[in-house]
Amino acid sequence: MVKVTVCGAAGGIGQPLSLLLKLNQNVDELALFDIVNANGVAADLSHICSPAKVTGHQPANKEDKLAITSALTNSDLVIIPAGVPRKPGMTRADLFNINASIIRDLIANVGKTCPNAAILIISNPVNATVPIAAEVLKKLGVFNPKKLFGVTTLDSVRAETFLGELINEPPKSLKGKISVIGGHSGDTIVPLINVNSTISAKSSKITPAQYKEFVHRVQFGGDEVVKAKNGAGSATLSMAYAGYRFAESVLDSVAGGQTNTSVVPETSYVYLPGLPNGEELSKKSLNGATYFSVPVILEKGEIKSFINPFDSLTITENEKQLVSVALNGLDKSIAQGTNFVKGSK
Ligand code: NAI
């Protein structure tokens, strides 16, 4: 029996993400939690003739803890897109004040109710919300770094799409030939084009100006959506697709025991010191950064290992420069997230 819980299920991301999860044949129960409209979304999705049983969980008032507890009880995978999205002119960091406490409180419930679940954090700023989650779980004594994932898949999805347009290749064939490492915000996002892969001939023809524009578009592609939506939020549909793509990898690894080796690993923002060889990567190549996005290999719903981009991928001097810029931004966000929990009761 596989139970998946979505927290923030009635939102712009939560609804289409829950729809995609409802279609996954490996899901037996889909629990939808939100402070508004969770029951409505659950009733709607429950009419779809796929196996997952859908349940809605909506607190009657601020004191009601039953809804979140019932949503999380026996959950194997918790996905969190709860919180506020950006409006034009805002950076992801501007969301910190509201989303930090939402994540802190939701994760405290996860730690108490389903401490063995894999946790996927979508809520921004991911660079800081993942450290918040880790600190809360550490305080509760249930932190498993192999099961805490910051969802950065949208950056990979964008990189595949934009590079595909540039070199005239189907984006689907680019998965794994481009990896996006670092964090999930502006210049902390670092796309790496694998020059040893089959796309090297085509990608080597990109001019320096085109490359610069490509990197900028991967780093700031979210702004295109925020601007086009003109106050109605940020990426929701592409994010639901991306969040589902990552969740599907986790679910496949739960169902199959081990991800099929032909499946290309997804990238995720993770706590490196808690992973095999993670401390070494952090110290040797990342100036001691503790959180970083790397391609992860999954087994039974947790990280079995990761691909060290500095050992396995050919990183150009240009890309190394991007990594060093990313590390500056990451440092601040990681400290902000960590200190937020250390300063909380
Ligand atoms: P939204 O405002 O449409 O939906 C958020 C939902 O969270 C709402 O239904 C709201 O009622 C719910 N919510 C608020 N507080 C809650 C709580 N304490 N418990 C449970 N639910 C709660 O926002 P949208 O567009 O779905 O975005 C959600 C988050 O995802 C934002 O922080 C946004 O910045 C982030 N995001 C992350 C991306 C990524 O690549 N990781 C990409 C795009 C957005």
Side-chain angles (χ1 to χ4, degrees):
M1 289 291 287
V2 174
K3 176 173 173 179
V4 179
T5 305
V6 181
C7 297
I13 296 168
Q15 290 202 36
L17 175 62
S18 300
L19 168 63
L20 294 169
L21 289 162
K22 169 69 174 128
L23 304 181
N24 187 299
Q25 303 292 314
N26 290 325
V27 178
D28 299 290
E29 184 179 347
L30 180 60
L32 306 183
F33 176 79
D34 202 300
I35 50 172
V36 296
N37 201 24
N39 294 334
V41 176
D44 192 354
L45 288 181
S46 72
H47 291 190
I48 295 175
C49 53
S50 62
K53 179 182 160 219
V54 185
T55 52
H57 308 262
Q58 193 177 317
N61 52 53
K62 278 195 171 171
E63 279 66 50
D64 178 4
K65 296 276 176 264
L66 280 176
I68 185 70
T69 306
S70 62
L72 292 172
T73 299
N74 295 326
S75 194
D76 302 290
L77 171 60
V78 180
I79 312 178
I80 309 186
V84 288
R86 287 189 292 157
K87 297 224 157 54
M90 288 172 95
T91 65
R92 292 179 183 87
D94 294 331
L95 303 173
F96 185 87
N97 289 341
I98 304 171
N99 290 352
S101 43
I102 294 178
I103 289 297
R104 179 196 59 201
D105 298 346
L106 283 172
I107 292 292
N109 281 298
V110 174
K112 286 173 197 156
T113 313
C114 52
N116 294 322
I119 307 169
L120 273 52
I121 309 258
I122 293 175
S123 313
N124 272 317
V126 165
N127 292 355
T129 51
V130 174
I132 289 175
E135 288 304 316
V136 172
L137 295 168
K138 278 185 203 170
K139 268 192 174 179
L140 292 169
V142 293
F143 178 41
N144 181 352
K146 293 179 179 168
K147 288 192 155 188
L148 179 64
F149 304 91
V151 180
T152 57
T153 325
L154 182 54
D155 304 323
S156 302
V157 167
R158 285 185 179 135
E160 289 158 25
T161 305
F162 301 156
L163 186 65
E165 284 168 7
L166 202 56
I167 64 172
N168 203 17
E169 278 282 310
K172 220 175 164 195
S173 71
L174 297 180
K175 198 174 166 209
K177 296 183 184 126
I178 172 150
S179 305
V180 185
I181 62 169
H184 173 67
S185 175
D187 59 16
T188 67
I189 300 171
V190 181
L192 304 178
I193 300 176
N194 187 347
V195 290
N196 283 339
S197 75
T198 50
I199 57 161
S200 69
K202 281 189 168 182
S203 60
S204 65
K205 294 205 177 93
I206 299 173
T207 65
Q210 282 175 320
Y211 174 73
K212 209 171 155 198
E213 197 193 325
F214 162 73
V215 171
H216 185 269
R217 217 176 157 206
V218 174
Q219 293 182 328
F220 295 93
D223 294 359
E224 290 177 21
V225 182
V226 172
K227 199 170 159 220
K229 289 196 175 176
N230 196 19
S234 57
T236 53
L237 301 172
S238 51
M239 181 58 232
Y241 165 78
Y244 179 72
R245 191 168 110 171
F246 192 78
E248 191 181 32
S249 298
V250 178
L251 289 167
D252 282 352
S253 82
V254 171
Q258 183 168 5
T259 304
N260 185 327
T261 44
S262 66
V263 174
V264 180
E266 293 287 356
T267 308
S268 178
Y269 184 68
V270 293
Y271 179 68
L272 286 175
L275 304 180
N277 306 321
E279 192 133 26
E280 193 191 321
L281 167 63
S282 162
K283 285 191 178 146
K284 208 169 133 195
S285 313
L286 302 175
N287 294 341
T290 41
Y291 293 84
F292 204 76
S293 192
V294 284
V296 290
I297 296 165
L298 303 166
E299 185 177 45
K300 295 184 184 147
E302 62 177 44
I303 299 169
K304 183 183 168 213
S305 58
F306 65 84
I307 295 175
N308 181 334
F310 296 85
D311 282 352
S312 315
L313 309 170
T314 315
I315 301 195
T316 63
E317 279 313 308
N318 238 328
E319 291 168 344
K320 281 185 188 154
Q321 282 288 325
L322 294 174
V323 170
S324 82
V325 173
L327 290 174
N328 278 333
L330 281 176
D331 261 5
K332 288 181 206 123
S333 302
I334 294 166
Q336 190 187 27
T338 308
N339 293 337
F340 175 76
V341 180
K342 289 195 167 148
S344 303
K345 276 186 284 169

